Amino acid sequence: MEATQEHISVGCNRLTQALAWGADGLAAFGAHHSVALYYPMDSARTGVRATLQGHTNRVNCVAFLNRGHELSQKNVAIVSGSADKTARVWKKTVGAGEKDKWVCSAVLEGHTGSVVTIGAVRARSFQEDKDLFATGSGDGTIKVWERTEVDAVTDKVECVQTIQVGKKYAQSIAISYLPNTSVPVMAVGSTDNRISIYVMQSKQFDKVLSLQGHDNWVRSLDFATFTKDSTNDDTRQQQKDTDGKNTSHHHTLQDGDLLLASGSQDKYIRIWRISAVADAPEQVTAEDATAQAGSEAALTQDMLKSLEEMSKSGTQLSTKAHIIDVAMDTPTAQSKRFSVIFEALLLGHDDWVYTVNWQPATLQNGVYHQPMCLLSASTDKSMMIWRPDESTGVWVNNTQVGEVGGNTIGFYGGIFGPDGQWIMAYGYNGAFHIWKNEGNEIGDKWVPQVPASGHYASVQDLTWDPTQSYLVSVSLDQTARLYSPWKHTDSITGTPISTWHEIARPQIHGYDAQCIAFTDKWTFVSGSDEKVLRVFDAPQTFVRSLAQLSGDDTILAEESSRPVGANLPALGLSNKAVFENDIASMVEAQESEEYLSQQAFVSTGATPTSLIETMNQPPFEEHLLQHTLWPEVEKLFGHGYELMCVDGSHDHRWIASACKAHTPDQAGVRLFDAKTWKQTPNPLVSHTLTVTKVKFSHDDRFLLSISRDRLWSLFERVEDPQAADPYKLVASNKAHARILWDCSWSHDDTMFATGSRDKTVKIWKSASETREAGAPWSAIATIKLTDAVTAVEFAPPLPGKDGEHVLAVGLEDGRVFLFKCSAAQPETWVPLGEISRELTHVGTVNGLSWRVTKGTSPHWQLASCGVDHSVRLFNIILK
């Protein structure tokens, strides 16, 4: 058996430092307990490439370690910090013969609390033999580490210092080198609203300063080394000679000065400057350095106004230069003096600033150049790009991007791409937002790009549509997400390719979604942590968009009778269908003043143009949130507790469902008529505790249910059209020693499988070849596994291979195994192998679903979902 990865869909953890973007274009982000690897600038839009497994709790922070000189810097490793109280170092193996083969080269232990922040060195040039970085934890300590490579798969990482900060917990750490030296300097932003400056002396960091100014937690810090702008030096000198003034924003900055940007929950961004003091140490005082730093700086009217406003609010701006003396590690042991001064205050965000990030260095006229360009991300749903004004030197926001609408609370982080022409943000719902600068010398033009996306909570269930054209998953993040292949051409090579993307979000709910099943090609029913089943029908917009993206125009014949789209009214919980005649009224209302007043209170309303728009590429997050809903056509009542499972018959006639139960009268399976949406008079009674799964056989003759009471029950269809109940109980068996989690029918309905917490899968077959009524069903085979079985699924037959059965088994530890038997010997099951551990889930596998691909060379694809927030798709080929 050969199993290869086709697609991974997973969202980013909701933490401010969960994303890092490396110099080679690789982005790493925390995804549940894993570190996901993703190339945002990939012209093929492949999405997440891999997930690095090892942590046993949520990944909180990620950072790249760099080595090299100026623009030749390379990523040598990834460091991730987790709530499991450890940090891990990951590096790509050399000569492994596999693409992007990453291994955990070291596990950093010592913290007694969650690791919440990582600081890696950011500088113009690095030492080549060692990597210095620091980790901050909820245990009130900062640990400083040195990494040296041992071989291709292991590293030696030594803790060289532990700094006790007590209850002033570190929220952000940044490390660089003092101007024109190799002495490391570390800035730590804390919950005491201050920035602590540490300088390494005698191979130990000593605290030398505590910078005040922010009024709330300092959530982000970033260093950059200033370089002179070589293109405009002559122009500025000429202008200075003419005007008698230096109007360059560089007038107080010297080449090599260190700039520190800090972002805080007080909504402000501050820039601090660390400079070498030119005079001899004994001749310079703090007052002299302050005067020197500000002698040429003229306050503008805007800055004066800002100072007045801040003084009224009680906030103080100090322009005092702090002096620090640093002993140089030289034969003469000479000391140097540096000044640290507040350089600029950036006002513009309306809510907490979570991240600040300097634009990476570029090449300017063949010379290394650090642009004076800063990116900030905030919970006000915006990212801003700041640059100093050429004439006044005042930092201004000249670009603002963000999201509009939707029930989101802004961005948790934003970061520049390695070339400075891409920016990426992520928010509360784990979604990425990517922009590319397609501007020119006149100005920037930031254009949205197709991002990766995924759930940000445990994915509970998934299923293919009846034609196996697209996949739908439901999650505890209260959404249903729909995935389909997008046939397009590579934007660089022009090669035709097909990549998987989330193309619709049919349901956005107020309850955690638990289960889903299709009743026909375009209709599905979902159950959540409520007592109601909800039925959704595909709109015209979706059918047209699916045809456009997948290249299958045959489905367009079925679009005419459908509603145009769906809209979620203000204060509403149900997606309302919008038809053709509603569009005209929406256009009229849009032009009225009444419409404008209404829209002030509607955050997720679809517009007339969005409802009729056919997508020619996968939608962005804002579009998914607001314009890809499916109309809710029915609610099915009857259950008394939260829904657990649902399934639809293959003839599109019946819906079976069950809810949580503590007593036998609550543990019935309820049937609904998919034509009238009415419930049958009596539930199917057999179990005494919660029914965990219901499955119709492919011919709909049988309905199988399994339960916490360790029983499976089999109900047979009643052929009498006058019968009140369409199914009757014909068999029941105490199948396992522990709770049953999943069951599945073989493609020919001759057998079914049950999976249990007792670490076994049992295969059941009727004593009668024709499965006559009354014939007993018995276990003909038992497959023993190493962990609790949480998902089982029989594969559909491949063309010309009806005589064999293939079974996929998912375990509680995330592994997936495949087994095979022939139709002639159903009691003999042969293991086909395990899907590579690095490709499967971290944690429980909640669902499995097969399909056979279409085309000239059909093969199996297996979709899986799990508690690790991911939906994974594998290509399965039997050798």
Side-chain angles (χ1 to χ4, degrees):
M1 178 199 75
E2 180 184 4
T4 58
Q5 175 188 301
E6 176 71 16
H7 177 64
I8 299 177
S9 171
V10 65
C12 187
N13 289 342
R14 304 178 197 170
L15 296 144
T16 58
Q17 298 176 45
L19 171 68
W21 204 342
D24 61 353
L26 175 67
F29 64 91
H32 190 244
H33 298 174
S34 305
V35 178
L37 304 181
Y38 169 40
Y39 284 94
M41 300 187 296
D42 177 21
S43 59
R45 305 287 188 264
T46 308
V48 176
R49 299 290 183 89
T51 52
L52 308 181
Q53 304 176 10
H55 286 294
T56 58
N57 210 325
R58 183 189 63 203
V59 175
N60 294 330
C61 45
V62 180
F64 281 93
L65 300 182
N66 294 351
R67 284 186 185 178
H69 178 64
E70 296 188 345
L71 296 182
S72 63
Q73 291 181 20
K74 302 292 183 185
N75 304 136
V76 293
I78 299 171
V79 183
S80 58
S82 168
D84 64 9
K85 306 176 185 177
T86 69
R88 286 176 178 258
V89 179
W90 312 84
K91 66 178 181 179
K92 192 185 298 186
T93 55
V94 180
E98 297 183 38
K99 187 178 181 180
D100 290 351
K101 177 72 173 178
W102 288 78
V103 296
C104 177
S105 59
V107 179
L108 283 52
E109 298 176 331
H111 284 295
T112 58
S114 175
V115 179
V116 297
T117 181
I118 297 172
V121 179
R122 295 290 176 262
R124 185 167 181 170
S125 183
F126 293 86
Q127 300 177 16
E128 291 296 331
D129 54 344
K130 291 184 179 180
D131 301 299
L132 181 72
F133 61 96
T135 56
S137 169
D139 62 7
T141 66
I142 298 170
K143 288 185 178 290
V144 182
W145 309 82
E146 270 191 0
R147 167 188 173 268
T148 54
E149 292 187 351
V150 176
D151 54 40
V153 295
T154 56
D155 291 334
K156 178 184 176 183
V157 181
E158 181 183 1
C159 179
V160 296
Q161 186 181 2
T162 299
I163 302 172
Q164 299 288 339
V165 295
K167 294 183 179 180
K168 303 172 183 178
Y169 303 115
Q171 293 292 304
S172 52
I173 300 175
I175 306 175
S176 188
Y177 297 120
L178 288 172
N180 302 315
T181 73
S182 59
V183 178
V185 57
M186 178 170 68
V188 179
S190 309
T191 55
D192 65 353
N193 310 343
R194 299 187 178 192
I195 302 171
S196 300
I197 303 296
Y198 295 81
V199 174
M200 184 169 280
Q201 299 278 262
S202 303
K203 298 186 178 181
Q204 294 283 296
F205 276 111
D206 294 333
K207 185 175 179 179
V208 295
L209 273 181
S210 181
L211 302 177
Q212 301 181 45
H214 286 296
D215 293 334
N216 209 323
W217 292 3
V218 180
R219 299 305 295 262
S220 181
L221 295 168
D222 197 23
F223 275 118
T225 303
F226 174 75
T227 58
K228 284 189 175 181
D229 189 348
S230 60
T231 57
N232 296 322
D233 280 351
D234 295 339
T235 305
R236 291 198 182 96
Q237 183 62 44
Q238 202 172 33
Q239 186 175 359
K240 180 178 180 181
D241 295 341
T242 304
D243 302 343
K245 296 180 181 179
N246 190 341
T247 57
S248 166
H249 66 274
H250 296 169
H251 53 265
T252 63
L253 295 174
Q254 300 298 319
D255 194 64
D257 281 359
L258 199 59
L259 295 178
L260 173 64
S262 60
S264 167
Q265 290 179 183
D266 64 7
K267 309 177 188 178
Y268 300 128
I269 301 163
R270 289 171 176 257
I271 298 177
W272 313 80
R273 172 162 53 92
I274 303 177
S275 305
V277 177
D279 298 289
E282 63 273 11
Q283 297 176 344
V284 178
T285 64
E287 290 74 13
D288 295 335
T290 302
Q292 177 184 335
S295 59
E296 300 181 21
L299 288 175
T300 64
Q301 292 299 318
D302 290 340
M303 180 59 75
L304 287 170
K305 185 177 179 182
S306 299
L307 287 169
E308 291 175 6
E309 291 176 354
M310 295 198 68
S311 63
K312 291 178 183 177
S313 65
T315 304
Q316 294 183 352
L317 283 180
S318 172
T319 56
K320 176 185 176 182
H322 304 272
I323 296 300
I324 55 177
D325 290 319
V326 178
M328 295 291 103
D329 188 12
T330 60
T332 59
Q334 198 173 19
S335 65
K336 281 190 177 183
R337 180 161 286 187
F338 297 88
S339 65
V340 182
I341 191 169
F342 171 62
E343 176 77 13
L345 178 71
L346 280 53
L347 309 94
H349 285 293
D350 298 324
D351 214 330
W352 294 359
V353 177
Y354 267 149
T355 58
V356 289
N357 182 237
W358 290 102
Q359 180 179 334
T362 60
L363 203 63
Q364 187 182 76
N365 292 344
V367 179
Y368 175 90
H369 174 65
Q370 171 62 57
M372 288 293 95
C373 180
L374 184 69
L375 175 70
S376 61
S378 167
T379 54
D380 64 6
K381 298 188 177 184
S382 73
M383 284 204 304
M384 294 183 178
I385 298 177
W386 306 82
R387 292 185 177 92
D389 183 79
E390 286 293 334
S391 58
T392 64
V394 175
W395 285 78
V396 294
N397 159 35
N398 53 19
T399 300
Q400 183 171 349
V401 297
E403 57 183 1
V404 178
N407 295 317
T408 65
I409 58 172
F411 295 134
Y412 269 70
I415 194 168
F416 269 109
D419 63 355
Q421 300 304 305
W422 293 68
I423 54 176
M424 178 164 60
Y426 62 99
Y428 177 82
N429 55 4
F432 290 108
H433 306 256
I434 303 175
W435 290 268
K436 179 184 179 183
N437 186 5
E438 297 182 356
N440 49 33
E441 297 81 5
I442 300 175
D444 293 345
K445 180 184 179 183
W446 293 93
V447 180
Q449 304 294 309
V450 176
S453 67
H455 290 286
Y456 59 92
S458 173
V459 187
Q460 299 297 94
D461 197 9
L462 81 171
T463 183
W464 294 98
D465 76 295
T467 64
Q468 299 184 337
S469 300
Y470 56 90
L471 181 70
V472 185
S473 61
V474 292
S475 164
L476 298 185
D477 67 8
Q478 305 182 347
T479 66
R481 302 182 186 232
L482 191 150
Y483 311 89
S484 170
W486 173 34
K487 293 184 178 179
H488 59 115
T489 57
D490 190 301
S491 59
I492 294 179
T493 65
T495 307
I497 51 176
S498 177
T499 53
W500 284 81
H501 299 268
E502 180 185 351
I503 66 166
R505 203 164 294 171
Q507 182 184 14
I508 300 176
H509 201 30
Y511 294 90
D512 295 352
Q514 295 286 353
C515 51
I516 185 172
F518 274 88
T519 60
D520 65 33
K521 182 178 180 180
W522 301 111
T523 306
F524 73 82
V525 55
S526 70
S528 304
D529 279 348
E530 58 174 344
K531 306 173 185 179
V532 183
L533 286 164
R534 298 175 184 263
V535 184
F536 297 86
D537 195 32
Q540 285 184 25
T541 310
F542 170 76
V543 178
R544 289 197 300 267
S545 297
L546 180 64
Q548 175 75 20
L549 295 174
S550 65
D552 183 8
D553 294 335
T554 59
I555 61 178
L556 291 174
E558 305 174 45
E559 68 157 329
S560 57
S561 60
R562 311 199 151 272
V564 176
N567 200 1
L568 186 63
L571 305 179
L573 296 176
S574 301
N575 303 340
K576 300 297 183 183
V578 179
F579 293 92
E580 292 281 1
N581 54 354
D582 297 325
I583 296 293
S585 60
M586 288 179 69
V587 172
E588 294 176 5
Q590 191 175 25
E591 298 171 355
S592 67
E593 293 182 3
E594 180 183 0
Y595 172 85
L596 296 176
S597 63
Q598 289 174 353
Q599 287 299 296
F601 303 96
V602 182
S603 61
T604 57
T607 62
T609 53
S610 70
L611 286 171
I612 60 175
E613 180 183 359
T614 301
M615 295 179 290
N616 55 15
Q617 67 176 20
F620 307 128
E621 179 67 15
E622 296 87 349
H623 196 92
L624 285 169
L625 279 171
Q626 302 173 77
H627 308 315
T628 61
L629 296 170
W630 285 21
E632 184 180 313
V633 296
E634 197 63 52
K635 295 182 181 70
L636 307 181
F637 297 90
H639 290 287
Y641 294 91
E642 294 94 334
L643 272 303
M644 276 293 292
C645 56
V646 65
D647 195 29
S649 64
H650 298 78
D651 63 359
H652 314 313
R653 178 66 194 276
W654 299 104
I655 299 168
S657 60
C659 68
K660 292 181 180 178
H662 304 286
T663 59
D665 62 315
Q666 302 164 0
V669 176
R670 298 183 182 271
L671 289 176
F672 298 87
D673 190 327
K675 294 183 178 179
T676 63
W677 305 116
K678 292 183 179 180
Q679 185 184 170
T680 57
N682 304 302
L684 304 179
V685 178
S686 172
H687 299 285
T688 58
L689 291 172
T690 302
V691 174
T692 55
K693 194 73 71 175
V694 289
K695 284 288 181 70
F696 284 96
S697 60
H698 294 84
D699 60 4
D700 296 321
R701 179 180 170 185
F702 294 102
L703 173 62
L704 175 65
S705 64
I706 59 172
S707 167
R708 281 181 55 203
D709 62 11
R710 309 173 189 177
L711 294 174
W712 60 255
S713 296
L714 201 60
F715 303 89
E716 188 173 13
R717 195 159 188 168
V718 177
E719 298 300 333
D720 183 4
Q722 303 301 319
D725 297 313
Y727 284 84
K728 65 178 181 180
L729 179 67
V730 295
S732 187
N733 193 312
K734 189 168 184 178
H736 293 266
R738 302 290 299 276
I739 180 175
L740 280 74
W741 281 124
D742 202 4
C743 59
S744 178
W745 286 93
S746 63
H747 63 81
D748 54 8
D749 294 329
T750 59
M751 64 182 82
F752 64 84
T754 55
S756 166
R757 186 179 279 168
D758 65 7
K759 304 181 183 180
T760 64
V761 174
K762 291 190 176 182
I763 310 297
W764 304 83
K765 188 175 176 66
S766 174
S768 168
E769 290 296 329
T770 59
R771 300 170 296 157
E772 294 179 0
W777 291 71
S778 58
I780 60 171
T782 299
I783 304 172
K784 295 183 179 180
L785 283 304
T786 58
D787 208 343
V789 177
T790 54
V792 294
E793 185 74 5
F794 275 102
L798 285 174
K801 292 187 178 181
D802 296 344
E804 61 183 22
H805 296 94
V806 173
L807 179 69
V809 180
L811 305 186
E812 195 170 46
D813 62 4
R815 291 185 290 171
V816 178
F817 292 87
L818 299 186
F819 298 88
K820 175 184 175 182
C821 83
S822 65
Q825 294 181 306
E827 68 281 351
T828 305
W829 286 82
V830 179
L832 290 173
E834 177 187 359
I835 296 178
S836 178
R837 190 69 188 92
E838 63 191 24
L839 300 180
T840 52
H841 296 275
V842 182
T844 305
V845 179
N846 286 334
L848 296 167
S849 188
W850 292 86
R851 81 158 184 166
V852 177
T853 61
K854 303 171 184 177
T856 56
S857 56
H859 64 274
W860 279 312
Q861 283 186 332
L862 175 63
S864 67
C865 64
V867 298
D868 63 354
H869 308 177
S870 70
V871 173
R872 298 169 186 259
L873 187 61
F874 309 102
N875 294 308
I876 307 294
I877 299 175
L878 299 187
K879 296 181 179 178

